[in-house]
Amino acid sequence: MLLKDKKIAIIGAGLVGSLLSIYLAKKGAKVSIFERRNDMRDEDGSAGRSINLALSNRGIKSLKEVGIDKEVLKNTMPMFRRIMHSVEGDLTNQDYGKKDQAIFSVGRRDLNCILMNLAEKKGVEIFFSQKCLDIDFDSTTLYFENKKPLNYDFIFGADGAGSIVRKKMKNKYSIKTEERFIDCGYKELTIPAGINGKHIISKDALHIWPRGSYMIIALPNPDGTFTCTLFFPMKGDNSFNNLKNTKDVLDFFNTNFHDLLKLIPDLSEQYFSNPLSSLGLVRSETWLKNNIALIGDSCHATVPFYGQGMNCGFEDCYLLNKSINDCNSFDKFKSTLNSFLKERKEDTDAMQDLSLYNFIVMRDKTADKNFLLQKKIEAKFSEKYPSKWIPLYSMVSFSDIKYSDALKIGEKQNSIMKKVMKTPNIDTQWASEKVEELILSYL
């Protein structure tokens, strides 16, 4: 095997670092992961610290490649559609894809624990409470507190948006990086389970309360609860900054999310006890220097509005593995990796652009009747002409079409739909042959 007995270190035991270790171990490498935090498996799960994740095709494909997809999927909840909740409490449904297509809700902590357990079964060693202090890029050496320097054949930085590996790489080589926060934060809330652990709203959907400049989403959990996330501006008239006490919170929710008050009896207590977190993205012009590479959020962290941060990081592992399969020597490994990472950057940039765009879709457009009608037209046309039209969401979530290609195709399709939506009486003619022929003519 190409990597047999090669010593490889991974900084970060998060989702991508843990999955990457499984890929590398299966190729014969001696893999060590160093994690600055304590082992989360020894601690009680703490609420309010992460957004539920939506596992979709790219992530599932990546798990399946190393034979762990079934183990992961049995701990998830399938979501076949969006359910939009209006201010008045009216519900609108929108399927994500075809009738049998779903994205899967999974808790970040639960998934991380599963991946670490599976990694250890493959022989990976995970060292916790190990804060990396420095990296020697010339000798591929790691430095930790209270530990002698450790030398490796290769090192991967999978240590998230605040990556120490990226920062050391930036300092040594003056590479350009972008670390940008958006003017929106998030706070987690939990809808409790009903009687006998039953879900008290539809469990096969992702629920959205779109309100223009802000929104709440809710994803189901196997225990009957829903993990909700309030995405809200940090400052301004309607913002986290303006909700200062219990009365402010209850008045705000009573006006904008009245039905949630009935679903979350201790809403104000949760609101003030759960932390407020920021949202942003990371881009780095270079992901590889000598025998040290970045992967996952350390080089392309994104906002969570397309559910692609984890899926993209998992796909990094899948595609990296595929590129390794094309190598016939370890010496060629680095040049192959460099080519892969340069090509991959175009797609991760596109993924971040798609994620930012989908924030607007979720908070603004999912409450817009014309937008929902447009999606019905696209779905109908795609069902009849699947080789001519794949909706953008399906390209991103239910295929492995490159993100950059999906973005380009999606922009072209959106320009066509803008013309189609100007058709007189489109609300009554949307299912007609005339509209179908119009789309075909534009294509």
Side-chain angles (χ1 to χ4, degrees):
M1 287 187 282
L2 176 68
L3 300 181
K4 183 171 176 57
D5 296 330
K6 294 296 182 183
K7 290 175 60 182
I8 298 180
I10 299 173
I11 307 300
L15 299 172
V16 174
S18 297
L19 180 60
L20 177 62
S21 74
I22 296 172
Y23 270 93
L24 297 174
K26 285 178 70 72
K27 290 198 172 302
K30 294 181 177 179
V31 185
S32 299
I33 303 178
F34 296 93
E35 170 58 50
R36 63 179 177 81
R37 298 167 297 184
N38 297 329
D39 189 344
M40 66 174 67
R41 295 170 294 181
D42 297 334
E43 302 171 349
D44 292 333
S46 55
R49 296 189 179 277
S50 70
I51 304 171
N52 263 38
L53 303 166
L55 181 64
S56 57
N57 180 76
R58 297 171 199 271
I60 295 170
K61 172 191 67 176
S62 306
L63 298 170
K64 188 175 183 178
E65 181 70 11
V66 285
I68 61 175
D69 54 313
K70 292 179 181 178
E71 177 70 19
V72 171
L73 284 171
K74 70 183 183 182
N75 294 279
T76 67
M77 295 287 294
M79 301 180 293
F80 296 91
R81 58 203 168 112
R82 292 169 172 160
I83 296 180
M84 282 70 73
H85 297 245
S86 74
V87 174
E88 296 77 22
D90 298 325
L91 304 182
T92 306
N93 289 267
Q94 181 189 20
D95 291 338
Y96 274 123
K98 298 174 183 177
K99 288 186 178 180
D100 60 339
Q101 289 180 321
I103 58 178
F104 296 83
S105 171
V106 61
R108 178 184 293 274
R109 180 184 180 278
D110 295 339
L111 178 55
N112 209 156
C113 291
I114 291 169
L115 290 176
M116 288 192 292
N117 289 336
L118 292 171
E120 288 179 331
K121 286 181 180 179
K122 298 296 181 184
V124 175
E125 289 189 295
I126 308 177
F127 301 93
F128 296 95
S129 303
Q130 297 295 319
K131 183 178 180 181
C132 180
L133 299 179
D134 206 356
I135 304 166
D136 189 323
F137 285 80
D138 297 316
S139 62
T140 323
T141 302
L142 295 172
Y143 297 86
F144 299 91
E145 289 179 330
N146 305 317
K147 188 187 275 294
K148 66 179 183 180
L150 299 174
N151 183 258
Y152 290 90
D153 294 302
F154 209 92
I155 296 170
F156 284 96
D159 48 339
S163 171
I164 184 67
V165 182
R166 183 185 73 251
K167 290 173 182 175
K168 293 294 181 181
M169 188 181 288
K170 177 183 178 181
N171 291 341
K172 181 173 176 62
Y173 297 101
S174 300
I175 62 173
K176 293 181 181 178
T177 62
E178 179 186 4
E179 300 171 16
R180 175 161 62 95
F181 290 97
I182 65 171
D183 183 28
C184 177
Y186 71 89
K187 189 179 281 279
E188 182 183 301
L189 303 167
T190 301
I191 297 175
I195 298 172
N196 298 322
K198 298 283 187 180
H199 295 86
I200 59 177
I201 54 177
S202 298
K203 66 179 182 179
D204 63 346
L206 185 153
H207 296 259
I208 306 177
W209 287 258
R211 299 295 185 263
S213 63
Y214 53 93
M215 67 176 177
I216 290 177
I217 65 171
L219 281 71
N221 298 307
D223 63 359
T225 65
F226 284 80
T227 300
C228 303
T229 311
L230 168 62
F231 296 102
F232 206 31
M234 289 294 206
K235 298 177 181 179
D237 292 337
N238 284 313
S239 69
F240 283 115
N241 192 51
N242 266 11
L243 301 186
K244 301 181 185 300
N245 53 52
T246 298
K247 184 179 184 304
D248 292 342
V249 171
L250 294 180
D251 287 348
F252 172 76
F253 274 82
N254 189 50
T255 300
N256 299 285
F257 304 105
H258 183 71
D259 53 343
L260 271 175
L261 280 176
K262 302 173 185 177
L263 302 177
I264 311 176
D266 61 340
L267 189 147
S268 62
E269 290 86 346
Q270 288 192 38
Y271 182 91
F272 288 108
S273 63
N274 290 346
L276 171 60
S277 302
S278 56
L279 292 168
L281 56 82
V282 168
R283 289 181 177 176
S284 179
E285 67 170 349
T286 301
W287 298 359
L288 175 68
K289 286 295 181 182
N290 295 343
N291 283 4
I292 299 174
L294 303 172
I295 194 167
D297 281 357
S298 68
C299 48
H300 56 68
T302 191
V303 292
F305 306 115
Y306 228 123
Q308 287 303 302
M310 171 190 65
N311 290 291
C312 182
F314 283 1
E315 191 176 52
D316 285 352
C317 301
Y318 175 89
L319 295 174
L320 171 63
N321 182 68
K322 192 175 178 181
S323 70
I324 293 174
N325 290 339
D326 295 333
C327 297
N328 53 23
S329 70
F330 187 70
D331 290 337
K332 192 179 178 183
F333 169 68
K334 182 184 168 185
S335 60
T336 300
L337 180 61
N338 191 44
S339 298
F340 157 68
L341 293 177
K342 284 183 177 179
E343 181 180 347
R344 181 65 172 160
K345 188 179 184 314
E346 179 186 8
D347 287 314
T348 59
D349 285 352
M351 178 273 298
Q352 291 172 318
D353 292 340
L354 286 163
S355 297
L356 288 167
Y357 166 72
N358 211 46
F359 183 29
I360 299 169
V361 169
M362 292 178 73
R363 74 181 188 186
D364 296 351
K365 295 189 177 183
T366 52
D368 182 81
K369 290 182 180 179
N370 284 336
F371 175 80
L372 295 174
L373 176 59
Q374 176 180 324
K375 293 304 166 187
K376 284 175 69 174
I377 297 171
E378 290 185 56
K380 181 178 182 295
F381 186 83
S382 174
E383 188 175 359
K384 188 169 182 179
Y385 300 99
S387 64
K388 294 181 180 293
W389 192 289
I390 304 174
L392 177 58
Y393 191 90
S394 294
M395 284 190 282
V396 173
S397 297
F398 300 124
S399 84
D400 54 9
I401 294 171
K402 293 175 63 174
Y403 288 115
S404 55
D405 289 340
L407 180 59
K408 293 170 187 173
I409 295 169
E411 288 173 343
K412 178 182 177 182
Q413 290 180 168
N414 192 50
S415 67
I416 290 173
M417 289 308 302
K418 282 183 178 180
K419 298 174 185 176
V420 171
M421 293 304 291
K422 292 179 181 178
T423 303
N425 302 315
I426 186 65
D427 55 329
T428 58
Q429 294 196 52
W430 70 269
S432 66
E433 287 188 10
K434 177 183 177 182
V435 170
E436 182 182 303
E437 290 170 0
L438 187 60
I439 298 173
L440 285 169
S441 70
Y442 287 135
L443 282 172

